[in-house]
Amino acid sequence: MKQVLWFALAFSYATADAQVPYERIAGADSEPSTWVTYSGNYQAQRFSLLSQINRQNVSQLKPTWVYQMRNPGIVETSPIVAEGVMYITEPPSTATALDVRTGRPLWTYTPSIPSDVIIIGSPPVNRGVAILDNTVFLGTVNCHLIALDAKTGIVRWDIVVDDNKKGYYITAAPLAINGKLIIGVSGAETGIRGFIDAYDPKTGKRLWRTWTVPGKGEPGAESWGGDSAVHGGGSTWVTGSYDPELNLIYWGTGNPAPDWNDDTRPGDNLYTCSLVALDANTGKIKWHFQFTPHDVHDWDATEVPILFNAQVNGRARKIVSMANRNGFFYVLDRQTGEFLSATPYIKQNWTDGIDAKGRPFARRDADPKVAGTLVYPAIAGGANWYSPSYSPTTGLFYQAAREMGGVYFKGDAEYKDGTAYTGGGGEGKNGDDAYGAIRALEGTTGKLRWEFRLVTPPMAGVLSTAGGLVFAGAEEGNFFALDAGNGKPLWELQLGAAIRASAMSFAMDGKQQVAIAAGSSLFVFGLP
Amino acid sequence: MLLRQWVAALILIAVGAFTVSAQNAGEVEKGRQLFLGMCSRCHGAEGGGGEGPSLTRLTRAHNDEELSAIIRNGIPDRGMPRIRRFSDAELGQMVGFVHSLGGAAGGAITGKPENGRALYQRLGCQSCHIVAGEGGDFGPELTTIGARRAPDYLRQSITDPGAALPRGAPVPGRGFNEFLPVKVVTGDGREVNGVRVNEDSFTIQVKDAGNKLYSFRKADVKQLDKLFGKSMMPDYKARVSAAELEDVVAYLSGLGSGPGDSK
C-alpha cells in the first residue's frame, strides 16, 4: 500500500515536472495562449496566432497591469509566458516570475555580480530567459549560465560559460531545444574568440562548443592574417532559430576584432558577420554564409534569423531570412545555405552591390579613417538585436529600420585581457539628420510593400499577429499598432520612456494580451 | 557590437592613471587628426570654436588631468558628449594637441561690450532671450552664451540665424535642432507658425511667437512643414552696422565667460 502511494506521488511529481517539455516548444503554434521561447516559435517569427485583438477593436486597447523593475538600466527583455506565469529579466541579470493575471511578483532571483565585472561593447542588459520542462535558464553579465526552478526561482545549477576577465559576458536569452540548451556570448569588443555552446539542461554539463573563429589549421583559418584569429571576436549575442526537421540551429555571429582597425586581420575573417547552421547533435557547422566579409564597421550579423517556407522562382524553398545590420535583407535556402537574394532595405553606400553568390562589392573608400569617414548605415546599422517579425498570413517580413549615417573613426588597437580592443569608434548623424520606419518587405524578395515613418531610428522590435496587426515601439516611447496589410496606424499610446524591447502576445482567462517593456517598466495591454 | 549610438561610446572600465605630455610634434599631429574627426564639428578645425566654445583659452580645465576628464566624461549639460573610445595614448595625443592651440582663431573680439549691451536692449533682443533671469523666453537663454559659443558663431547667429540652429538639448532629443520653425495647418484649415518644442512619431508640440503652446496629433493635421535652414529670429544683417555687430558680439562673448561679467 505504502509503495503504491509512493508510486502515485512520484508519478504526479513527474507529471507536474514537465511544465514545458520540448514538444510544447516545438508545437508552440498550436498553443498561442503561451509564449514559450524567445521569438515565440523555433522559426523565430515573433508572430502570434491570436486574433482576438484585431484591426476592428485594437483602438480600445488598455493597460491590464504594469510591472516596474527593481534596478535602473535598459530593459530589453522579451517575456516567456507558460502555466499562468510570466518570466522576465531585469537589468543587469535578474530573473523574475510574475503572476500573469496581476503582474504581482512570485519570485525573483539576482545572481551575485562582482563589482569589477567587465562589460565592454553594450550596456548591461538581458533579453530574457528560456524555459524547458520545469526549469528557467538565465545568462548573466559575468558569463554564468544559471538554471532556476520555475516554481520557486531556486538555483538548480550555476556554471561558468567562460572567463569574464577576458571580456566574455552574456546578454542573450538561451534557446532550449530537445535535451539541449544553446547559448551565445558577447565580448568581441575585448577581442574574445566567439563560440556557441550547448549544455545539458538537467546538469549544466557542456555537450559541445562551436567556435565562430577557427583555430590554427582549421577550415577558415586562412581567412585571418598572422595570429589575428586568436582575438578575432565573432560573438554570438542574439538568440537564433531552429528547424527541428533538419535538426539545424541558425545563429548569427558578430564583428571581427578589432572592430574598426583592420591592420592586423587581412582576409575575410571567417566566421564573423555570418550566419552559421549548426547540427544540433554535434554543433558541427553544416554551412555558413558571410554577409559582410572583412567587416570594418561593426556590423554584427546578430539579428534574428527567421525561418519560413515559400515558393521562390517557382520552386518550394525552406528559407532563412535576415534583415542584416549592413543594410541588406537576405534570403537563403536554409537546407544548403544557398544565396537566393539580397535587397537593400535602407540607404547604404558601403557597397556597389552584391554578386551572384551574395558577396558584397565593398567600397574600400568607406573604411574608417583617423579623421573620420561618413558611411550609411551608422554603427548600430539598419537593424540590430531587436526582433523582426514574419507573418505567414501576409507573407511579409516586418522590420524596424534605422535610416542613419555615421562617421567612422580608425584608432589604435592593442590587445590586453579584458580591455577594449576596438581600434576606433563612430558617431551617428542623429537628430533631424536621421529617421526610422517600420517596413513591410516581401518575405521572398525583400521588396518594400509599405512603411510607417518614425522621427527617430528605432531600437525596438516588431510583433505581428493573426489579428492583422503589427505592434512596434518608438524611441520617444510610443507603443503602437499598425494594419499589417497596409501600415496604417490603428492605435498608439505614449509609455513615457524609450522602448528598447520587442513585444510578444499571450492569453490569460481567454483574453489576448500584448506585453512590451518601456523605460524601466513592463506594460501588458488587453481589451477592456 | 551594439548600441554605440545610445551609449555615445564604449563603456570602458578601469581607465588607469596616465601621463600626458605629447611633447613631440608627431604626437601632436596625431592628436590633430583625432581632433579633426571627433571635435572639429563643434570646436572648429583649429579649435577656435563655433557651435562649441573656443579651446584656445581653457576655462574649465586647469591641467592635463582636468582636460582629460572632460574629454572622457563630457559636459552633459552643455552638450559636450563624452568620448570614451580613446586609448590612453590617443587621449594623451588629443590633450597635447589642445594644449598646442593658441592665437585668436574662432573670431577676434574687437567691439566694445558696454556699447553692445546697450544695443542689445535697443534692438529688443531681451524680448525673446533671457540673460541672468531677465527677458522673454521664446528664444534660447543667453546667460552663459559667451562660454559656450565662439564669436564667429555668435556673429553668424545674428546675421544669418537660420544657418545654425542650436542642437543637443535633452528635449526634443539628442542631436535634434532646437527652435526649429514649423508650419502647421490644422484639419479645419487654421495655420499655426511657431517653433517645435518636442515631437514624436505621432504628435508634435509647438509654441508660436505669442508664446502660446499647441499640441497636435499628426493624424489630425492637414499639413506639417519643418522649415530646416530657417529661424524664427529676425535677420539683423541689414539692421546693424559692422561696428555695432562687433559690439553685440563682444557683449555676448562676455556672458558667462568669467566672474563679474555675466550681465
Side-chain angles (χ1 to χ4, degrees):
Chain A
M1 185 64 195
K2 212 171 197 174
Q3 269 186 336
V4 173
L5 184 62
W6 274 116
F7 180 78
L9 274 173
F11 182 76
S12 71
Y13 174 73
T15 311
D17 193 30
Q19 283 185 58
V20 184
Y22 161 73
E23 291 72 21
R24 266 183 89 178
I25 308 175
D29 286 351
S30 64
E31 210 184 344
S33 63
T34 64
W35 190 276
V36 288
T37 188
Y38 181 71
S39 295
N41 59 15
Y42 280 142
Q43 297 96 303
Q45 293 172 339
R46 201 165 284 272
F47 173 78
S48 170
L49 279 144
L50 298 174
S51 57
Q52 196 179 65
I53 300 169
N54 55 46
R55 280 183 283 240
Q56 282 70 44
N57 60 22
V58 68
S59 63
Q60 300 163 40
L61 220 52
K62 292 279 183 301
T64 306
W65 51 258
V66 179
Y67 173 76
Q68 302 208 21
M69 308 283 158
R70 284 139 218 277
N71 300 316
I74 295 172
V75 180
E76 296 184 356
T77 192
S78 178
I80 295 286
V81 169
E83 305 296 290
V85 180
M86 174 182 283
Y87 302 93
I88 63 164
T89 54
E90 310 186 35
S93 303
T94 290
T96 298
L98 304 172
D99 171 15
V100 83
R101 199 163 279 126
T102 61
R104 295 292 296 153
L106 302 172
W107 57 257
T108 188
Y109 171 78
T110 299
S112 148
I113 307 286
S115 59
D116 60 349
V117 61
I118 295 170
I119 306 166
I120 297 178
S122 77
V125 296
N126 188 288
R127 300 192 192 82
V129 296
I131 191 166
L132 185 65
D133 296 327
N134 67 338
T135 311
V136 165
F137 302 93
L138 169 73
T140 72
V141 288
N142 56 332
C143 212
H144 285 226
L145 186 60
I146 302 174
L148 302 169
D149 180 81
K151 281 269 158 45
T152 61
I154 292 169
V155 174
R156 295 272 184 193
W157 50 257
D158 176 341
I159 57 137
V160 176
V161 171
D162 215 310
D163 189 0
N164 178 251
K165 296 271 180 239
K166 289 187 174 151
Y168 286 101
Y169 66 108
I170 297 176
T171 59
L175 177 71
I177 60 172
N178 196 8
K180 287 182 191 69
L181 191 67
I182 315 299
I183 188 69
V185 290
S186 304
E189 275 63 45
T190 44
I192 61 156
R193 182 184 175 202
F195 57 79
I196 299 159
D197 274 0
Y199 292 90
D200 182 337
K202 297 276 181 221
T203 63
K205 184 176 170 251
R206 195 207 291 170
L207 301 174
W208 49 255
R209 167 168 292 187
T210 299
W211 296 99
T212 57
V213 173
K216 261 206 166 77
E218 290 174 1
E222 70 288 349
S223 70
W224 294 85
D227 289 333
S228 58
V230 175
H231 301 297
S235 39
T236 49
W237 51 280
V238 169
T239 311
S241 47
Y242 176 57
D243 183 330
E245 273 177 42
L246 299 174
N247 200 29
L248 289 177
I249 295 162
Y250 302 91
W251 209 282
T253 67
N255 61 281
D259 303 47
W260 302 284
N261 184 332
D262 62 343
D263 292 350
T264 58
R265 52 175 179 86
D268 281 358
N269 307 143
L270 291 169
Y271 301 93
T272 61
C273 299
S274 300
L275 185 69
V276 290
L278 307 181
D279 181 316
N281 290 341
T282 62
K284 202 163 172 276
I285 298 178
K286 183 164 181 223
W287 58 259
H288 74 274
F289 179 84
Q290 191 173 38
F291 303 96
T292 317
H294 191 76
D295 169 55
V296 288
H297 297 105
D298 190 19
W299 290 332
D300 303 56
T302 47
E303 292 75 58
V304 174
I306 294 186
L307 316 184
F308 61 92
N309 297 340
Q311 295 277 325
V312 179
N313 298 326
R315 186 171 153 193
R317 291 277 194 176
K318 293 185 172 193
I319 287 169
V320 54
S321 57
M322 180 186 280
N324 194 274
R325 191 155 154 177
N326 72 12
F328 287 82
F329 173 75
Y330 290 85
V331 181
L332 310 176
D333 183 309
R334 74 172 180 270
Q335 277 182 291
T336 60
E338 182 189 343
F339 169 78
L340 299 177
S341 68
T343 313
Y345 65 93
I346 52 148
K347 173 179 174 177
Q348 67 79 27
N349 68 355
W350 65 277
T351 167
D352 292 321
I354 306 278
D355 76 12
K357 290 262 169 78
R359 187 183 178 89
F361 297 102
R363 299 172 56 105
R364 293 280 65 112
D365 61 0
D367 286 359
K369 290 193 267 294
V370 174
T373 311
L374 174 63
V375 178
Y376 290 80
I379 287 178
N384 211 297
W385 60 267
Y386 54 81
S387 294
S389 175
Y390 174 82
S391 164
T393 312
T394 61
L396 297 176
F397 185 106
Y398 300 101
Q399 178 63 41
R402 301 170 50 83
E403 291 281 5
M404 183 194 256
V407 180
Y408 290 81
F409 302 106
K410 185 175 179 176
D412 295 345
E414 190 193 339
Y415 182 83
K416 268 184 277 177
D417 273 0
T419 65
Y421 184 55
T422 55
E427 191 182 293
K429 289 182 74 67
N430 53 17
D432 290 309
D433 295 330
Y435 71 98
I438 305 302
R439 293 201 165 127
L441 312 174
E442 285 178 8
T444 52
T445 64
K447 200 178 147 208
L448 180 68
R449 191 71 76 76
W450 56 253
E451 71 164 8
F452 177 78
R453 284 261 191 153
L454 301 170
V455 294
T456 305
M459 198 47 91
V462 178
L463 164 76
S464 64
T465 76
L469 298 172
V470 166
F471 287 92
E475 191 61 17
E476 289 77 20
N478 315 86
F479 184 52
F480 53 95
L482 307 175
D483 185 319
N486 59 26
K488 294 277 175 293
L490 300 173
W491 173 80
E492 178 265 337
L493 188 68
Q494 173 58 247
L495 301 186
I499 300 177
R500 304 272 173 77
S502 305
M504 51 77 75
S505 186
F506 62 96
M508 62 180 193
D509 305 329
K511 292 182 75 175
Q512 185 184 0
Q513 309 288 325
V514 177
I516 185 78
S520 287
S521 302
L522 182 89
F523 295 81
V524 173
F525 296 93
L527 295 170
Chain B
M1 177 170 102
L2 77 156
L3 285 181
R4 289 288 148 39
Q5 314 302 339
W6 311 109
V7 292
L10 286 172
I11 298 166
L12 292 189
I13 313 285
V15 176
F18 65 97
T19 50
V20 268
S21 36
Q23 298 296 343
N24 72 62
E27 293 292 287
V28 171
E29 173 55 25
K30 282 182 193 161
R32 192 177 75 84
Q33 289 296 320
L34 294 168
F35 186 90
L36 280 174
M38 293 298 292
C39 317
S40 60
R41 193 185 75 177
C42 294
H43 292 293
E46 304 297 322
E51 191 174 350
S54 165
L55 302 177
T56 56
R57 183 173 62 94
L58 301 177
T59 53
R60 282 176 176 250
H62 303 97
N63 53 48
D64 287 355
E65 272 173 21
E66 288 180 12
L67 180 55
S68 301
I70 287 172
I71 295 169
R72 284 259 196 242
N73 304 323
I75 311 172
D77 63 331
R78 292 289 176 86
M80 161 89 182
R82 60 184 188 176
I83 300 169
R84 294 207 163 176
R85 67 173 187 82
F86 287 146
S87 66
D88 290 351
E90 288 170 319
L91 187 59
Q93 290 156 2
M94 175 76 91
V95 167
F97 173 71
V98 172
H99 278 315
S100 78
L101 296 168
I109 300 167
T110 57
K112 296 191 179 66
E114 59 280 10
N115 292 356
R117 187 177 175 188
L119 192 59
Y120 179 91
Q121 301 290 338
R122 204 158 66 238
L123 291 169
C125 305
Q126 76 280 8
S127 64
C128 289
H129 297 283
I130 293 176
V131 172
E134 285 171 31
D137 60 357
F138 187 65
E141 184 192 358
L142 302 177
T143 304
T144 59
I145 198 68
R148 290 185 282 140
R149 300 284 185 267
D152 278 351
Y153 181 96
L154 295 172
R155 209 171 277 120
Q156 182 190 38
S157 69
I158 296 166
T159 58
D160 187 7
L165 292 178
R167 279 182 304 162
V171 172
R174 191 161 165 255
F176 277 87
N177 293 295
E178 299 171 73
F179 304 96
L180 177 71
V182 292
K183 176 181 159 183
V184 179
V185 181
T186 62
D188 55 7
R190 255 178 330 128
E191 188 176 315
V192 173
N193 290 286
V195 296
R196 176 177 67 183
V197 176
N198 206 344
E199 181 182 6
D200 64 27
S201 298
F202 293 85
T203 72
I204 186 164
Q205 292 73 40
V206 175
K207 69 179 178 180
D208 70 10
N211 237 345
K212 187 176 172 199
L213 182 69
Y214 298 82
S215 173
F216 299 106
R217 288 197 74 81
K218 291 180 179 176
D220 298 338
V221 305
K222 223 180 261 172
Q223 190 185 334
L224 167 60
D225 296 334
K226 299 183 200 176
L227 306 171
F228 293 107
K230 294 211 160 61
S231 169
M232 293 295 277
M233 175 167 148
D235 153 9
Y236 284 85
K237 203 183 312 178
R239 299 169 64 180
V240 294
S241 69
E244 286 172 330
L245 176 63
E246 292 313 310
D247 289 345
V248 177
V249 168
Y251 165 64
L252 295 174
S253 294
L255 294 177
S257 63
D261 58 358
S262 64
K263 295 217 175 160

PDB file of all heavy atoms in Angstrom, chain B residues 126-149:
ATOM      1  N   GLN B 126      16.081  91.362 -25.704  1.00  0.00           N
ATOM      2  CA  GLN B 126      15.608  90.796 -24.443  1.00  0.00           C
ATOM      3  C   GLN B 126      14.138  90.382 -24.498  1.00  0.00           C
ATOM      4  O   GLN B 126      13.664  89.683 -23.615  1.00  0.00           O
ATOM      5  CB  GLN B 126      15.855  91.780 -23.281  1.00  0.00           C
ATOM      6  CG  GLN B 126      14.900  92.949 -23.208  1.00  0.00           C
ATOM      7  CD  GLN B 126      15.281  94.050 -24.215  1.00  0.00           C
ATOM      8  OE1 GLN B 126      16.164  93.868 -25.054  1.00  0.00           O
ATOM      9  NE2 GLN B 126      14.603  95.184 -24.147  1.00  0.00           N
ATOM     10  N   SER B 127      13.442  90.783 -25.552  1.00  0.00           N
ATOM     11  CA  SER B 127      12.046  90.359 -25.620  1.00  0.00           C
ATOM     12  C   SER B 127      11.942  88.856 -25.887  1.00  0.00           C
ATOM     13  O   SER B 127      10.918  88.243 -25.606  1.00  0.00           O
ATOM     14  CB  SER B 127      11.286  91.155 -26.686  1.00  0.00           C
ATOM     15  OG  SER B 127      11.822  90.877 -27.958  1.00  0.00           O
ATOM     16  N   CYS B 128      13.001  88.258 -26.426  1.00  0.00           N
ATOM     17  CA  CYS B 128      12.972  86.805 -26.716  1.00  0.00           C
ATOM     18  C   CYS B 128      14.034  86.010 -25.968  1.00  0.00           C
ATOM     19  O   CYS B 128      14.014  84.785 -25.997  1.00  0.00           O
ATOM     20  CB  CYS B 128      13.147  86.553 -28.207  1.00  0.00           C
ATOM     21  SG  CYS B 128      11.716  87.021 -29.182  1.00  0.00           S
ATOM     22  N   HIS B 129      15.018  86.682 -25.361  1.00  0.00           N
ATOM     23  CA  HIS B 129      16.134  85.946 -24.741  1.00  0.00           C
ATOM     24  C   HIS B 129      16.286  86.329 -23.280  1.00  0.00           C
ATOM     25  O   HIS B 129      16.239  87.516 -22.945  1.00  0.00           O
ATOM     26  CB  HIS B 129      17.449  86.266 -25.457  1.00  0.00           C
ATOM     27  CG  HIS B 129      17.469  85.841 -26.901  1.00  0.00           C
ATOM     28  ND1 HIS B 129      17.650  84.541 -27.284  1.00  0.00           N
ATOM     29  CD2 HIS B 129      17.320  86.555 -28.045  1.00  0.00           C
ATOM     30  CE1 HIS B 129      17.623  84.462 -28.614  1.00  0.00           C
ATOM     31  NE2 HIS B 129      17.409  85.676 -29.099  1.00  0.00           N
ATOM     32  N   ILE B 130      16.506  85.351 -22.444  1.00  0.00           N
ATOM     33  CA  ILE B 130      16.772  85.607 -21.032  1.00  0.00           C
ATOM     34  C   ILE B 130      18.270  85.714 -20.807  1.00  0.00           C
ATOM     35  O   ILE B 130      19.039  84.866 -21.278  1.00  0.00           O
ATOM     36  CB  ILE B 130      16.208  84.468 -20.151  1.00  0.00           C
ATOM     37  CG1 ILE B 130      14.672  84.480 -20.214  1.00  0.00           C
ATOM     38  CG2 ILE B 130      16.685  84.600 -18.705  1.00  0.00           C
ATOM     39  CD1 ILE B 130      14.019  83.344 -19.468  1.00  0.00           C
ATOM     40  N   VAL B 131      18.687  86.804 -20.112  1.00  0.00           N
ATOM     41  CA  VAL B 131      20.050  86.907 -19.603  1.00  0.00           C
ATOM     42  C   VAL B 131      19.942  87.140 -18.102  1.00  0.00           C
ATOM     43  O   VAL B 131      19.283  88.082 -17.663  1.00  0.00           O
ATOM     44  CB  VAL B 131      20.829  88.071 -20.270  1.00  0.00           C
ATOM     45  CG1 VAL B 131      22.184  88.267 -19.575  1.00  0.00           C
ATOM     46  CG2 VAL B 131      21.048  87.787 -21.759  1.00  0.00           C
ATOM     47  N   ALA B 132      20.556  86.262 -17.328  1.00  0.00           N
ATOM     48  CA  ALA B 132      20.553  86.375 -15.865  1.00  0.00           C
ATOM     49  C   ALA B 132      19.146  86.586 -15.328  1.00  0.00           C
ATOM     50  O   ALA B 132      18.890  87.462 -14.516  1.00  0.00           O
ATOM     51  CB  ALA B 132      21.485  87.498 -15.415  1.00  0.00           C
ATOM     52  N   GLY B 133      18.211  85.783 -15.816  1.00  0.00           N
ATOM     53  CA  GLY B 133      16.858  85.786 -15.247  1.00  0.00           C
ATOM     54  C   GLY B 133      15.921  86.804 -15.844  1.00  0.00           C
ATOM     55  O   GLY B 133      14.721  86.769 -15.566  1.00  0.00           O
ATOM     56  N   GLU B 134      16.434  87.710 -16.687  1.00  0.00           N
ATOM     57  CA  GLU B 134      15.559  88.749 -17.221  1.00  0.00           C
ATOM     58  C   GLU B 134      15.417  88.642 -18.730  1.00  0.00           C
ATOM     59  O   GLU B 134      16.393  88.408 -19.442  1.00  0.00           O
ATOM     60  CB  GLU B 134      16.115  90.136 -16.861  1.00  0.00           C
ATOM     61  CG  GLU B 134      15.878  90.488 -15.396  1.00  0.00           C
ATOM     62  CD  GLU B 134      16.613  91.761 -14.990  1.00  0.00           C
ATOM     63  OE1 GLU B 134      16.793  92.646 -15.856  1.00  0.00           O
ATOM     64  OE2 GLU B 134      17.007  91.831 -13.821  1.00  0.00           O
ATOM     65  N   GLY B 135      14.189  88.818 -19.206  1.00  0.00           N
ATOM     66  CA  GLY B 135      13.942  88.792 -20.641  1.00  0.00           C
ATOM     67  C   GLY B 135      12.844  87.802 -20.989  1.00  0.00           C
ATOM     68  O   GLY B 135      12.336  87.067 -20.128  1.00  0.00           O
ATOM     69  N   GLY B 136      12.483  87.783 -22.275  1.00  0.00           N
ATOM     70  CA  GLY B 136      11.445  86.863 -22.744  1.00  0.00           C
ATOM     71  C   GLY B 136      12.018  85.481 -23.001  1.00  0.00           C
ATOM     72  O   GLY B 136      13.226  85.317 -23.161  1.00  0.00           O
ATOM     73  N   ASP B 137      11.138  84.464 -23.064  1.00  0.00           N
ATOM     74  CA  ASP B 137      11.644  83.090 -23.135  1.00  0.00           C
ATOM     75  C   ASP B 137      11.322  82.395 -24.452  1.00  0.00           C
ATOM     76  O   ASP B 137      11.329  81.179 -24.532  1.00  0.00           O
ATOM     77  CB  ASP B 137      11.103  82.271 -21.957  1.00  0.00           C
ATOM     78  CG  ASP B 137       9.583  82.216 -21.951  1.00  0.00           C
ATOM     79  OD1 ASP B 137       8.959  82.864 -22.833  1.00  0.00           O
ATOM     80  OD2 ASP B 137       9.024  81.549 -21.074  1.00  0.00           O
ATOM     81  N   PHE B 138      11.076  83.156 -25.502  1.00  0.00           N
ATOM     82  CA  PHE B 138      10.755  82.499 -26.772  1.00  0.00           C
ATOM     83  C   PHE B 138      11.997  81.889 -27.422  1.00  0.00           C
ATOM     84  O   PHE B 138      11.952  80.827 -28.020  1.00  0.00           O
ATOM     85  CB  PHE B 138      10.082  83.489 -27.730  1.00  0.00           C
ATOM     86  CG  PHE B 138       9.587  82.821 -28.984  1.00  0.00           C
ATOM     87  CD1 PHE B 138       8.575  81.876 -28.932  1.00  0.00           C
ATOM     88  CD2 PHE B 138      10.146  83.131 -30.216  1.00  0.00           C
ATOM     89  CE1 PHE B 138       8.121  81.256 -30.079  1.00  0.00           C
ATOM     90  CE2 PHE B 138       9.698  82.511 -31.376  1.00  0.00           C
ATOM     91  CZ  PHE B 138       8.678  81.572 -31.309  1.00  0.00           C
ATOM     92  N   GLY B 139      13.129  82.563 -27.268  1.00  0.00           N
ATOM     93  CA  GLY B 139      14.382  82.080 -27.865  1.00  0.00           C
ATOM     94  C   GLY B 139      15.299  81.479 -26.812  1.00  0.00           C
ATOM     95  O   GLY B 139      14.942  81.394 -25.642  1.00  0.00           O
ATOM     96  N   PRO B 140      16.485  81.057 -27.228  1.00  0.00           N
ATOM     97  CA  PRO B 140      17.432  80.429 -26.286  1.00  0.00           C
ATOM     98  C   PRO B 140      17.902  81.392 -25.203  1.00  0.00           C
ATOM     99  O   PRO B 140      18.073  82.584 -25.453  1.00  0.00           O
ATOM    100  CB  PRO B 140      18.611  80.044 -27.179  1.00  0.00           C
ATOM    101  CG  PRO B 140      18.143  80.142 -28.575  1.00  0.00           C
ATOM    102  CD  PRO B 140      17.000  81.096 -28.607  1.00  0.00           C
ATOM    103  N   GLU B 141      18.128  80.869 -24.015  1.00  0.00           N
ATOM    104  CA  GLU B 141      18.704  81.658 -22.933  1.00  0.00           C
ATOM    105  C   GLU B 141      20.159  81.990 -23.279  1.00  0.00           C
ATOM    106  O   GLU B 141      20.877  81.170 -23.858  1.00  0.00           O
ATOM    107  CB  GLU B 141      18.670  80.853 -21.624  1.00  0.00           C
ATOM    108  CG  GLU B 141      19.179  81.685 -20.455  1.00  0.00           C
ATOM    109  CD  GLU B 141      19.442  80.863 -19.193  1.00  0.00           C
ATOM    110  OE1 GLU B 141      19.189  79.649 -19.205  1.00  0.00           O
ATOM    111  OE2 GLU B 141      19.899  81.470 -18.220  1.00  0.00           O
ATOM    112  N   LEU B 142      20.584  83.213 -22.918  1.00  0.00           N
ATOM    113  CA  LEU B 142      21.939  83.640 -23.292  1.00  0.00           C
ATOM    114  C   LEU B 142      22.836  83.927 -22.088  1.00  0.00           C
ATOM    115  O   LEU B 142      23.931  84.471 -22.246  1.00  0.00           O
ATOM    116  CB  LEU B 142      21.851  84.901 -24.179  1.00  0.00           C
ATOM    117  CG  LEU B 142      21.038  84.750 -25.469  1.00  0.00           C
ATOM    118  CD1 LEU B 142      20.973  86.084 -26.217  1.00  0.00           C
ATOM    119  CD2 LEU B 142      21.630  83.681 -26.370  1.00  0.00           C
ATOM    120  N   THR B 143      22.400  83.538 -20.892  1.00  0.00           N
ATOM    121  CA  THR B 143      23.127  83.904 -19.675  1.00  0.00           C
ATOM    122  C   THR B 143      24.608  83.525 -19.728  1.00  0.00           C
ATOM    123  O   THR B 143      25.466  84.266 -19.271  1.00  0.00           O
ATOM    124  CB  THR B 143      22.460  83.235 -18.454  1.00  0.00           C
ATOM    125  OG1 THR B 143      21.089  83.624 -18.444  1.00  0.00           O
ATOM    126  CG2 THR B 143      23.121  83.670 -17.157  1.00  0.00           C
ATOM    127  N   THR B 144      24.903  82.365 -20.282  1.00  0.00           N
ATOM    128  CA  THR B 144      26.302  81.915 -20.326  1.00  0.00           C
ATOM    129  C   THR B 144      26.762  81.666 -21.760  1.00  0.00           C
ATOM    130  O   THR B 144      27.670  80.860 -22.006  1.00  0.00           O
ATOM    131  CB  THR B 144      26.474  80.614 -19.513  1.00  0.00           C
ATOM    132  OG1 THR B 144      25.601  79.622 -20.069  1.00  0.00           O
ATOM    133  CG2 THR B 144      26.138  80.827 -18.043  1.00  0.00           C
ATOM    134  N   ILE B 145      26.146  82.357 -22.702  1.00  0.00           N
ATOM    135  CA  ILE B 145      26.406  82.039 -24.113  1.00  0.00           C
ATOM    136  C   ILE B 145      27.866  82.267 -24.500  1.00  0.00           C
ATOM    137  O   ILE B 145      28.415  81.569 -25.364  1.00  0.00           O
ATOM    138  CB  ILE B 145      25.446  82.841 -25.039  1.00  0.00           C
ATOM    139  CG1 ILE B 145      25.401  82.219 -26.427  1.00  0.00           C
ATOM    140  CG2 ILE B 145      25.823  84.316 -25.114  1.00  0.00           C
ATOM    141  CD1 ILE B 145      24.760  80.864 -26.488  1.00  0.00           C
ATOM    142  N   GLY B 146      28.523  83.232 -23.845  1.00  0.00           N
ATOM    143  CA  GLY B 146      29.918  83.523 -24.188  1.00  0.00           C
ATOM    144  C   GLY B 146      30.858  82.367 -23.875  1.00  0.00           C
ATOM    145  O   GLY B 146      31.901  82.212 -24.499  1.00  0.00           O
ATOM    146  N   ALA B 147      30.459  81.556 -22.893  1.00  0.00           N
ATOM    147  CA  ALA B 147      31.287  80.410 -22.532  1.00  0.00           C
ATOM    148  C   ALA B 147      31.005  79.213 -23.416  1.00  0.00           C
ATOM    149  O   ALA B 147      31.726  78.225 -23.379  1.00  0.00           O
ATOM    150  CB  ALA B 147      31.039  80.045 -21.068  1.00  0.00           C
ATOM    151  N   ARG B 148      29.916  79.288 -24.185  1.00  0.00           N
ATOM    152  CA  ARG B 148      29.501  78.113 -24.942  1.00  0.00           C
ATOM    153  C   ARG B 148      29.627  78.272 -26.450  1.00  0.00           C
ATOM    154  O   ARG B 148      29.622  77.297 -27.177  1.00  0.00           O
ATOM    155  CB  ARG B 148      28.056  77.769 -24.584  1.00  0.00           C
ATOM    156  CG  ARG B 148      27.950  77.239 -23.163  1.00  0.00           C
ATOM    157  CD  ARG B 148      26.557  76.774 -22.837  1.00  0.00           C
ATOM    158  NE  ARG B 148      25.687  77.882 -22.547  1.00  0.00           N
ATOM    159  CZ  ARG B 148      24.437  77.964 -22.953  1.00  0.00           C
ATOM    160  NH1 ARG B 148      23.936  76.996 -23.702  1.00  0.00           N
ATOM    161  NH2 ARG B 148      23.693  78.992 -22.640  1.00  0.00           N
ATOM    162  N   ARG B 149      29.682  79.505 -26.919  1.00  0.00           N
ATOM    163  CA  ARG B 149      29.758  79.726 -28.366  1.00  0.00           C
ATOM    164  C   ARG B 149      30.878  80.713 -28.662  1.00  0.00           C
ATOM    165  O   ARG B 149      31.057  81.691 -27.939  1.00  0.00           O
ATOM    166  CB  ARG B 149      28.436  80.310 -28.895  1.00  0.00           C
ATOM    167  CG  ARG B 149      27.216  79.443 -28.664  1.00  0.00           C
ATOM    168  CD  ARG B 149      27.164  78.262 -29.625  1.00  0.00           C
ATOM    169  NE  ARG B 149      25.928  77.503 -29.488  1.00  0.00           N
ATOM    170  CZ  ARG B 149      25.789  76.441 -28.697  1.00  0.00           C
ATOM    171  NH1 ARG B 149      26.796  76.026 -27.963  1.00  0.00           N
ATOM    172  NH2 ARG B 149      24.633  75.798 -28.630  1.00  0.00           N
TER     173      ARG B 149
END
